[in-house]
Amino acid sequence: LAYFVTPIMSFNSVGLVGIKIIDDNKLEYENFISTFISFVLFNSLIVFTIAIFLSIFLSKYLILLLLTYFVSLTVIFIIIHNIELIQKSDIKLFGFYKIFLAFLNIFFIWIFIKQIGMSWEGRILGIILSQIIIIVLMYFISFHSIKFYSFRFDWDSYKEFYQYGFPLVIGLGAAWLMTQLDKFIVLHFFDLENLGYYSLGYTLGMS
């Protein structure tokens, strides 16, 4: 789900970050980032509303829907700054964040599942907590553009973001259906734990 929800929140227009950081001056880019993050938050509110609505009919998946929402939201902020680091050729810092995030994921998933005894929720909670820590670390070390953030509801800019991302979202949706539809079939006949085993086997088989 996060594979699909994450680009929906940004309407797959996060690539504009890489373009703007090169083309714009410092002030223009700071204004763009404020508008773009506001756009993401605007979309995330729509996604959250849809998740709550779906939970009325799929009440047993409420926790999964909410956790997917928070995973996707934190992923977007990490992607935004990763693009900034790549465009600035700060590969060492980019690599540090990636390695440290992987370490945090392993650590917290081990804590939640092995030590506390949680099920699949522990894995997702571990991912969310790891990503929040990385975002906070980024904020204090290098994610300077977000420090100038102020909410901006600029519908003209939002329309440009939607127009840029629309073809990409359509293509992503088709690809997602081709690669993820079988998991819904598995989930229909089995539980989330068995789906996890299936997903792991599928991933290993395709790698």
Side-chain angles (χ1 to χ4, degrees), residues 10-66:
S10 66
F11 216 71
N12 226 20
S13 57
V14 73
L16 288 171
V17 174
I19 297 172
K20 292 292 185 178
I21 198 171
I22 297 297
D23 292 346
D24 293 354
N25 60 43
K26 186 174 182 292
L27 181 59
E28 289 173 338
Y29 181 71
E30 288 171 1
N31 291 334
F32 162 77
I33 280 294
S34 287
T35 305
F36 184 74
I37 292 177
S38 299
F39 171 74
V40 169
L41 295 176
F42 174 76
N43 288 333
S44 72
L45 181 61
I46 296 174
V47 170
F48 183 78
T49 304
I50 293 173
I52 296 299
F53 176 76
L54 289 176
S55 69
I56 297 173
F57 306 98
L58 303 168
S59 56
K60 65 179 180 178
Y61 298 125
L62 173 61
I63 300 299
L64 176 62
L65 291 170
L66 292 178

Side-chain angles (χ1 to χ4, degrees), residues 26-182:
K26 186 174 182 292
L27 181 59
E28 289 173 338
Y29 181 71
E30 288 171 1
N31 291 334
F32 162 77
I33 280 294
S34 287
T35 305
F36 184 74
I37 292 177
S38 299
F39 171 74
V40 169
L41 295 176
F42 174 76
N43 288 333
S44 72
L45 181 61
I46 296 174
V47 170
F48 183 78
T49 304
I50 293 173
I52 296 299
F53 176 76
L54 289 176
S55 69
I56 297 173
F57 306 98
L58 303 168
S59 56
K60 65 179 180 178
Y61 298 125
L62 173 61
I63 300 299
L64 176 62
L65 291 170
L66 292 178
L67 290 176
T68 299
Y69 168 82
F70 286 109
V71 167
S72 301
L73 188 59
T74 52
V75 163
I76 290 174
F77 282 92
I78 292 174
I79 290 174
I80 288 173
H81 190 49
N82 280 343
I83 291 174
E84 290 181 339
L85 292 174
I86 291 171
Q87 293 293 5
K88 293 176 181 177
S89 299
D90 200 341
I91 305 303
K92 290 183 179 179
L93 200 52
F94 172 80
F96 165 74
Y97 289 138
K98 296 283 283 187
I99 294 170
F100 192 47
L101 177 61
F103 169 78
L104 289 173
N105 277 332
I106 294 170
F107 175 73
F108 285 119
I109 291 171
W110 176 75
I111 290 291
F112 287 130
I113 294 179
K114 199 70 175 177
Q115 301 302 312
I116 300 178
M118 297 179 70
S119 183
W120 57 269
E121 300 97 329
R123 183 175 187 274
I124 302 179
L125 283 173
I127 292 171
I128 293 173
L129 187 54
S130 300
Q131 292 178 168
I132 289 174
I133 291 174
I134 287 295
I135 291 170
V136 171
L137 195 65
M138 285 176 165
Y139 177 84
F140 285 107
I141 295 177
S142 57
F143 203 169
H144 304 306
S145 57
I146 202 174
K147 294 182 179 181
F148 302 96
Y149 171 73
S150 60
F151 185 81
R152 298 183 180 188
F153 188 83
D154 184 348
W155 183 245
D156 289 334
S157 294
Y158 288 9
K159 285 193 293 185
E160 291 180 11
F161 298 155
Y162 285 129
Q163 290 169 357
Y164 175 88
F166 181 75
L168 302 174
V169 168
I170 296 299
L172 179 71
W176 184 80
L177 283 175
M178 292 176 62
T179 58
Q180 304 295 316
L181 191 60
D182 57 327

